[in-house]
Amino acid sequence: MDIISPIVMGILLGGLYALIALGLSLVFGVMRLINLAHGDLVVLGSYLSFTLLTRFGIDPLLGLLLTVPILFGLGFLIQQFLMSRAAGISDEAPLIIAFGIALIIQNAIQIITDPQSRGISTAYSMAGFSVGTFQFPVIYLMDFMAALIIVVVFSIFLKRTYLGRAITAAAQNKKAAQLMGINTKKIYGIAFAIAMISAAVAGAFLGMTFPFQPASGTQFLIIAFGVVIIGGLGSLVGTFLGGVILGLVQTLSGNFFGSAAQMLFVYTAILLVLAVRPKGLFGR
């Protein structure tokens, strides 16, 4: 039985899963907020990339020059004018707001477009490459490389820049950060907006890898939850490794037990990690 192909596919697929989950992990790590709208914001990024390609002929990678600022600004506004105010009401209010945002995005997309499944097709997203006798889609390799680049860039940003260290300080101890003169409200808005950068990138690569529709956000939110639970909420490196682990579980279980068993093994793996190590395999 061929085992090399599902292992390689699982690792590469894990890159996409990590890319989808990075924004969710970052928001929780900084604000201790589980953003229930994250999956729909990623799908919004897919629709923006799809629109730029079909209406204006702009390549999805080049289109990131437009979609990244759009989602960055949207993320900042959501945090400053909705999440921040909701956090002052109760711990549950931001969750309810995020759920409401998810519903609004889903219905707005369905009204503006239609409920049909979409996909972003380019020459490279349809191409393949060979490793010995094995064939793999180029877009899976691009997914993995994009996730790796985002993790490295975000990690360097958080460790080497003043703004990144301010975000880290606010995440570790909000009151201490405020005593040091850090405007935590503004920092939270910037952190949420930065998380939306990864959502925009994830949306473009997701659209080139899998079909999507207005209600797909829930499906990918569940995947993102699984990744951060395995890797550890708030850990960027852990999120990347969690994505790879989840991808491997999915492809290997499909290889040995059939495609119908894939998600059963994925959810079982998540449950086992929660039972044995609730903070995740790489969480602190």
Side-chain angles (χ1 to χ4, degrees):
M1 181 179 289
D2 171 27
I3 191 66
I4 301 299
S5 182
I7 289 176
V8 174
M9 285 293 289
I11 293 172
L12 298 181
L13 177 62
L16 176 63
Y17 287 171
L19 191 59
I20 293 171
L22 280 171
L24 182 69
S25 181
L26 180 61
V27 167
F28 180 85
V30 175
M31 289 172 278
R32 298 297 184 267
L33 168 66
I34 297 176
N35 180 16
L36 296 179
H38 181 75
D40 293 281
L41 287 163
V42 170
V43 172
L44 176 61
S46 298
Y47 271 97
L48 289 174
S49 295
F50 175 81
T51 301
L52 289 174
L53 177 64
T54 55
R55 296 282 182 88
F56 305 103
I58 300 176
D59 182 271
L61 298 183
L62 186 60
L64 290 174
L65 295 175
L66 295 173
T67 60
V68 164
I70 290 172
L71 283 187
F72 181 92
L74 179 61
F76 186 83
L77 293 174
I78 287 174
Q79 203 288 323
Q80 292 290 281
F81 295 101
L82 294 175
M83 297 300 187
S84 179
R85 296 181 181 183
I89 299 173
S90 68
D91 292 337
E92 296 80 13
L95 290 173
I96 297 171
I97 292 292
F99 181 67
I101 292 171
L103 294 178
I104 289 171
I105 292 174
Q106 287 183 22
N107 285 275
I109 291 175
Q110 187 163 329
I111 291 170
I112 294 171
T113 59
D114 55 60
Q116 293 182 356
S117 181
R118 303 289 187 185
I120 300 175
S121 298
T122 64
Y124 51 85
S125 68
M126 304 298 290
F129 69 97
S130 300
V131 178
T133 59
F134 302 103
Q135 284 282 127
F136 304 101
V138 168
I139 190 59
Y140 276 63
L141 178 61
M142 294 177 66
D143 293 337
F144 183 86
M145 295 305 299
L148 190 60
I149 290 170
I150 292 290
V151 168
V152 171
V153 170
F154 277 13
S155 297
I156 293 174
F157 168 76
L158 291 173
K159 292 178 180 179
R160 302 289 180 85
T161 67
Y162 171 79
L163 181 58
R165 289 195 292 269
I167 291 173
T168 302
Q172 292 176 345
N173 193 317
K174 180 180 178 180
K175 290 184 178 180
Q178 289 173 335
L179 290 173
M180 295 300 294
I182 295 174
N183 185 341
T184 53
K185 180 181 178 182
K186 183 178 179 181
I187 287 297
Y188 284 172
I190 294 173
F192 199 101
I194 291 172
M196 291 304 98
I197 292 177
S198 70
V201 176
F205 282 92
L206 168 64
M208 290 188 285
T209 309
F210 295 125
F212 56 91
Q213 54 187 350
S216 294
T218 302
Q219 171 191 350
F220 294 112
L221 176 65
I222 293 172
I223 289 173
F225 269 132
V227 170
V228 297
I229 286 170
I230 291 175
L233 281 163
S235 171
L236 296 181
V237 175
T239 299
F240 181 80
L241 295 175
V244 171
I245 291 171
L246 200 67
L248 283 169
V249 170
Q250 181 174 339
T251 56
L252 288 174
S253 61
N255 185 67
F256 288 109
F257 303 102
S259 59
Q262 286 183 336
M263 297 316 294
L264 171 63
F265 279 88
V266 166
Y267 295 140
T268 301
I270 294 169
L271 183 62
L272 287 174
V273 171
L274 278 173
V276 176
R277 188 174 170 82
K279 292 184 178 181
L281 297 178
F282 308 98
R284 294 186 294 273

